[in-house]
Amino acid sequence: MISSLPKRISTIAPLFQPLHLTQFKYLHLNNNLLQENNTYNNFNPESYYTSCLSQITHIRPLQQLHARLLVSGLHYNGFIITKFLNVSSNLGLVRYAHEVFDEFPDPYVFLWNAIIRGYSMQNMFSEAITMYLRMHECGVRPDGYTIPHVLKACGGLPSVRVGRAVHGHIFRLGFDWDVFVQNGLVSLYAKCSRIDVARVVFDRVDDRTVVSWTSIISGYAQNGQPWEALKIYREMRRLSEELDWVTLVSVLSAYTDVNDLQQGKSLHGCIIKLGLEFEADLRIALTTLYAKCGELVVAKSLFDQMEVPNVMLWNAMISGFAKNGCAEEAIQLFWDMLSKNIRSDSITIRLVILACAHAGSLEQARCMDEFITNSDYKHDIYVNTALIDMYAKCGSIELARRVFDRILNKDVVAWSAMIVGYGLHGQGRESIDLFQAMIQAGVTPNDVTFIGILTACNHSGLVEEGWYFFHSMRQYGIEPRHQHYACLVDLLGRAGFLEQAYHIIRKMPIEPHVSVWGALLGACKIYRHVTLGEYAAERLFSLDPYNTGHYVQLSNLYASVRFWSGVAKVRVMMKERGLSKDLGYSLIEINGKLEAFRMADKSHPRSKEIFKELEILERRLKAAGYIPDTESVLHDLSHEDKEETLCNHSERLAIAYGLISTSPGTTLRITKNLRACVNCHSATKMISKLVNREIVVRDANRFHHFKDGLCSCGDYW
């Protein structure tokens, strides 16, 4: 020991300086006490130094105390050094703790536990496992306090293999009935996505604690099984087990996943009764619940009550706004976040990109792209993939392709996003070419890739190609799901192959879902096949009885064959169920600002100019030979179709406003919440030629690029 002192003292000599931090006054005052009590047999250095250690919150006083231990010869005292290692780890100085540990001759189990705990606590999982293996090599037997820290480290590794090996150690060591160890195993397997094994371990726990219940509930919630999580929670409550805030966070997460706002509100009341409403993680979970379920006022109120909302709370609010039709508010919240110098993460960026996609504003999309280009996320593949989707949904497939081309190491998600984008814009051939390039690049397609390629074929009327791609899925190990079948049925149905489409549905190995029957009903409306359409509608009403779109489709089908009693019957059904068709509206972006129009809307400040422009357009259309289909006014149940004229539809107003608000040659970009009607589609084609403009319209199904009297959809929509 004496021979090692000169080297150690020379390295820490600068630390023998007066302490500067007032909170360590206790250490100063007791220096004399130490000297005085050295003369008495009842002085306890362990008690003294552990008391000093308990007050340390910074590295410098810790190093000074370490120097005193070296000088006094107490650096080999196991009790003091164990405490020293724990304090060092708590301060994030686990490397320093390791150096001190290595100087201790023949460390016993408590010292090993301290260093393993330190690495595990600091999420240095590989190092924790390495120390556990060294412990075995040194012949030191772990105890019940060692294993939970080791299991936590195993849960942080990418593979469950090491965890299984440690599980084997637990059996051999006889700790398999220790409740703390069992809880650790439940958490381990849940984190490694082996919730089935976690449940087996949980079922063997006899003396369950709140940690046991929380581990399995959070495990199910984190592994996408919220209903199972809630089932366990109900069992826990039935047994009158105590609750803590960790349990409640997991339960709130489960209620959020299943969109059960009512039960979430009930749990909120329970949280208030328990006095836990100010717990930060619970506040985040509650904000997320209300935001996702559309209670944005309540969510914003909870958000505003936080003194310093962290990035997770900001993400919860931005997500809530973005996914509940408040894209503009989501985008503004992001800029507010940056103005408060709160650092965003990758999730924040992707949520804001999603909001920009929902808003449909190309100018906002460009601003977001510019921000990302100047940020740390410019090479993030997930962010760039989101940008591809954003540009495609904002009407610029060219800018989407530009982002795609700048990604160096494209994964299947990036390829799929671009293929889906082409499909959305009806560019089937481009989508097929990109799919082939993807295969040549050695990237294996996934189920989303095939949804994109089938959608592209569907929107372009490429029946043979779509049929080929559908049947080639299995060679890549992909079983068709509902969306794939819906695309195929829609493809065949729109091309007039109704019987073949129905045959596909009957032979499906899975139960046909709403999307499949909806595709068949839409095709029946196009080709006026009443019998098959009625059957498809019956299936839809049983599966999704409160979706107004199905009733409108059936009504339109009846109207197309002038079966007016059928139309009246559908209207009665809708009235009985309290349903009404959504009113149509159109948005147009002018100078970065979105303007909204409804049918015959005269609320705009420039309405006189707009309607004057409409009159001019109507005269020019008639002079060019345009004849509206007046029967279509009877085919719909919306407010727009009850008006006498068809020229006042919302997209016509948006076009007129765009023409008087922009310079000649400027592209007009319009978003409509409903499917484009036959009259507006025909009129917009002719208008694009008359005014020499490109007009891009995003309706409920796809994009239409009108130019020189033609539409990119080829009148196939």
Side-chain angles (χ1 to χ4, degrees):
M1 179 183 76
I2 300 298
S3 61
S4 68
L5 278 177
K7 177 182 177 183
R8 291 294 298 153
I9 292 176
S10 65
T11 59
I12 63 174
L15 302 178
F16 285 94
Q17 303 295 329
L19 295 174
H20 298 293
L21 301 174
T22 58
Q23 61 263 48
F24 303 111
K25 187 176 180 181
Y26 177 82
L27 191 58
H28 278 300
L29 295 176
N30 282 278
N31 286 335
N32 294 331
L33 181 65
L34 173 60
Q35 294 172 356
E36 293 172 4
N37 280 289
N38 275 333
T39 60
Y40 296 94
N41 294 328
N42 64 348
F43 173 70
N44 186 342
E46 292 181 352
S47 176
Y48 168 75
Y49 279 108
T50 53
S51 179
C52 293
L53 282 165
S54 67
Q55 300 177 65
I56 291 178
T57 58
H58 293 279
I59 181 173
R60 184 167 179 79
L62 182 74
Q63 291 174 318
Q64 290 175 325
L65 189 142
H66 185 203
R68 295 177 188 277
L69 290 175
L70 285 166
V71 171
S72 62
L74 291 172
H75 60 297
Y76 289 152
N77 183 298
F79 183 83
I80 296 175
I81 295 302
T82 299
K83 177 71 173 178
F84 187 92
L85 297 181
N86 286 329
V87 172
S88 299
S89 299
N90 293 343
L91 296 176
L93 305 171
V94 67
R95 299 292 189 192
Y96 181 35
H98 197 152
E99 292 179 10
V100 175
F101 172 86
D102 284 341
E103 292 177 353
F104 198 96
D106 196 22
Y108 57 99
V109 66
F110 295 116
L111 283 160
W112 286 101
N113 288 351
I115 195 63
I116 291 171
R117 168 191 171 275
Y119 277 124
S120 181
M121 184 178 67
Q122 296 299 324
N123 296 332
M124 301 171 72
F125 302 125
S126 296
E127 291 85 345
I129 298 300
T130 299
M131 294 305 294
Y132 177 67
L133 295 175
R134 273 186 58 189
M135 181 182 186
H136 275 276
E137 292 170 358
C138 293
V140 179
R141 179 185 173 86
D143 62 15
Y145 296 98
T146 317
I147 302 301
H149 299 305
V150 176
L151 290 173
K152 179 190 174 184
C154 292
L157 298 177
S159 171
V160 74
R161 183 176 57 85
V162 176
R164 284 175 176 166
V166 172
H167 196 170
H169 290 180
I170 290 168
F171 275 108
R172 289 194 293 273
L173 293 168
F175 294 127
D176 51 314
W177 294 108
D178 185 302
V179 67
F180 297 105
V181 172
Q182 289 173 320
N183 292 343
L185 284 169
V186 172
S187 181
L188 160 69
Y189 285 116
K191 288 178 180 177
C192 294
S193 300
R194 291 303 310 272
I195 191 64
D196 53 334
V197 182
R199 181 59 185 269
V200 171
V201 176
F202 173 79
D203 288 341
R204 293 183 62 197
V205 181
D206 291 327
D207 188 20
R208 292 171 183 158
T209 65
V210 65
V211 177
S212 310
W213 291 98
T214 301
S215 297
I216 193 66
I217 290 171
S218 62
Y220 275 120
Q222 292 164 9
N223 281 276
Q225 298 187 43
W227 291 112
E228 283 298 321
L230 295 173
K231 183 179 177 181
I232 296 291
Y233 169 68
R234 285 191 290 270
E235 177 68 12
M236 178 184 181
R237 298 299 291 151
R238 187 182 67 81
L239 297 173
S240 300
E241 297 286 346
E242 63 176 312
L243 294 172
D244 65 5
W245 67 269
V246 182
T247 316
L248 294 169
V249 166
S250 297
V251 177
L252 280 171
S253 174
Y255 281 135
T256 301
D257 288 341
V258 300
N259 288 308
D260 194 336
L261 180 61
Q262 193 63 34
Q263 289 297 325
K265 286 181 176 179
S266 177
L267 194 61
H268 190 180
C270 178
I271 289 168
I272 293 173
K273 289 179 181 178
L274 293 171
L276 297 172
E277 66 269 28
F278 298 109
E279 185 67 45
D281 287 343
L282 277 174
R283 184 64 61 85
I284 293 171
L286 284 168
T287 303
T288 305
L289 167 74
Y290 285 113
K292 184 181 178 185
C293 294
E295 292 278 351
L296 298 178
V297 174
V298 180
K300 190 64 165 60
S301 174
L302 289 169
F303 176 83
D304 291 338
Q305 289 173 27
M306 294 289 286
E307 293 184 7
V308 185
N310 60 20
V311 68
M312 292 178 65
L313 257 179
W314 285 93
N315 289 350
M317 277 311 308
I318 292 172
S319 174
F321 279 128
K323 295 176 180 178
N324 284 282
C326 300
E328 293 290 334
E329 290 85 345
I331 296 167
Q332 184 56 52
L333 199 62
F334 172 68
W335 298 120
D336 291 344
M337 177 183 179
L338 296 183
S339 70
K340 297 180 185 298
N341 295 319
I342 296 173
R343 182 176 175 79
S344 60
D345 59 15
S346 176
I347 296 173
T348 318
I349 301 300
R350 282 179 277 165
L351 286 170
V352 180
I353 292 173
L354 173 67
C356 290
H358 287 335
S361 168
L362 188 59
E363 185 166 328
Q364 286 181 338
R366 285 191 174 115
C367 287
M368 198 63 205
D369 189 6
E370 183 180 354
F371 170 80
I372 291 165
T373 302
N374 297 317
S375 73
D376 296 335
Y377 302 106
K378 60 183 177 181
H379 298 304
D380 187 309
I381 190 167
Y382 301 108
V383 169
N384 279 288
T385 300
L387 284 175
I388 294 171
D389 179 68
M390 175 191 72
Y391 272 131
K393 289 179 178 175
C394 288
S396 179
I397 198 67
E398 297 80 14
L399 291 176
R401 183 58 190 255
R402 189 180 299 176
V403 175
F404 175 80
D405 289 339
R406 76 189 184 202
I407 299 176
L408 298 178
N409 299 310
K410 302 176 182 67
D411 62 2
V412 64
V413 182
W415 285 95
S416 299
M418 194 65 233
I419 289 171
V420 169
Y422 276 131
L424 189 63
H425 286 260
Q427 298 187 16
R429 293 297 176 187
E430 290 83 350
S431 185
I432 292 172
D433 290 343
L434 194 64
F435 181 89
Q436 293 171 344
M438 173 185 174
I439 300 300
Q440 291 174 0
V443 179
T444 304
N446 61 17
D447 59 333
V448 177
T449 316
F450 279 100
I451 290 173
I453 197 73
L454 289 170
T455 300
C457 292
N458 183 17
H459 286 171
S460 302
L462 303 175
V463 178
E464 292 184 8
E465 292 84 348
W467 185 261
Y468 165 78
F469 283 116
F470 180 84
H471 288 283
S472 68
M473 289 174 62
R474 288 187 174 88
Q475 76 182 59
Y476 296 101
I478 301 170
E479 285 295 323
R481 297 187 292 110
H482 286 108
Q483 286 177 284
H484 303 105
Y485 279 105
C487 285
L488 182 62
V489 169
D490 201 26
L491 174 68
L492 293 171
R494 287 182 184 277
F497 301 108
L498 294 176
E499 295 299 328
Q500 292 90 329
Y502 179 57
H503 180 73
I504 290 292
I505 295 175
R506 291 185 60 192
K507 297 295 182 181
M508 282 176 61
I510 54 179
E511 191 68 25
H513 204 260
V514 171
S515 58
V516 178
W517 291 112
L520 183 62
L521 177 58
C524 289
K525 189 267 176 187
I526 295 172
Y527 292 97
R528 303 182 180 184
H529 197 308
V530 177
T531 304
L532 189 57
E534 286 179 328
Y535 180 73
E538 288 175 8
R539 303 302 303 160
L540 284 166
F541 296 159
S542 64
L543 291 170
D544 192 12
Y546 296 104
N547 188 319
T548 57
H550 308 323
Y551 297 89
V552 172
Q553 282 276 56
L554 180 60
S555 175
N556 288 343
L557 171 58
Y558 285 147
S560 68
V561 296
R562 309 184 73 81
F563 181 29
W564 306 121
S565 62
V567 173
K569 179 183 175 182
V570 173
R571 287 179 175 172
V572 170
M573 289 173 62
M574 293 180 67
K575 186 175 181 180
E576 288 176 346
R577 297 181 183 183
L579 303 176
S580 60
K581 188 179 183 294
D582 293 335
L583 295 178
Y585 66 83
S586 295
L587 302 172
I588 184 169
E589 182 180 10
I590 302 294
N591 298 324
K593 183 181 178 182
L594 290 172
E595 299 278 1
F597 293 91
R598 292 192 182 276
M599 192 280 182
D601 189 354
K602 295 185 178 181
S603 63
H604 197 277
R606 300 182 67 186
S607 62
K608 288 185 178 180
E609 297 173 73
I610 292 170
F611 278 89
K612 184 178 179 180
E613 183 67 21
L614 273 177
E615 291 176 8
I616 295 172
L617 284 175
E618 190 69 13
R619 287 197 298 269
R620 295 182 68 183
L621 283 169
K622 289 180 179 179
Y626 170 70
I627 301 174
D629 178 11
T630 55
E631 282 193 7
S632 67
V633 74
L634 301 171
H635 295 177
D636 207 335
L637 297 177
S638 73
H639 177 68
E640 285 187 358
D641 296 330
K642 295 178 183 178
E643 296 294 328
E644 294 180 356
T645 63
L646 293 160
C647 65
N648 290 342
H649 279 198
S650 61
E651 53 262 63
R652 302 272 196 102
L653 295 174
I655 291 172
Y657 177 65
L659 291 174
I660 65 173
S661 303
T662 59
S663 57
T666 304
T667 298
L668 303 182
R669 301 181 185 276
I670 297 167
T671 301
K672 182 174 173 63
N673 68 322
L674 303 177
R675 181 176 178 270
C677 73
V678 174
N679 281 286
C680 287
H681 190 272
S682 300
T684 307
K685 282 197 302 180
M686 195 169 288
I687 290 171
S688 69
K689 185 175 183 179
L690 293 174
V691 301
N692 194 26
R693 300 270 198 127
E694 180 178 2
I695 303 172
V696 181
V697 178
R698 173 186 176 183
D699 72 5
N701 296 331
R702 57 172 296 158
F703 275 92
H704 301 263
H705 294 257
F706 299 95
K707 190 174 183 180
D708 298 327
L710 300 173
C711 180
S712 61
C713 74
D715 297 337
Y716 191 85
W717 89 104

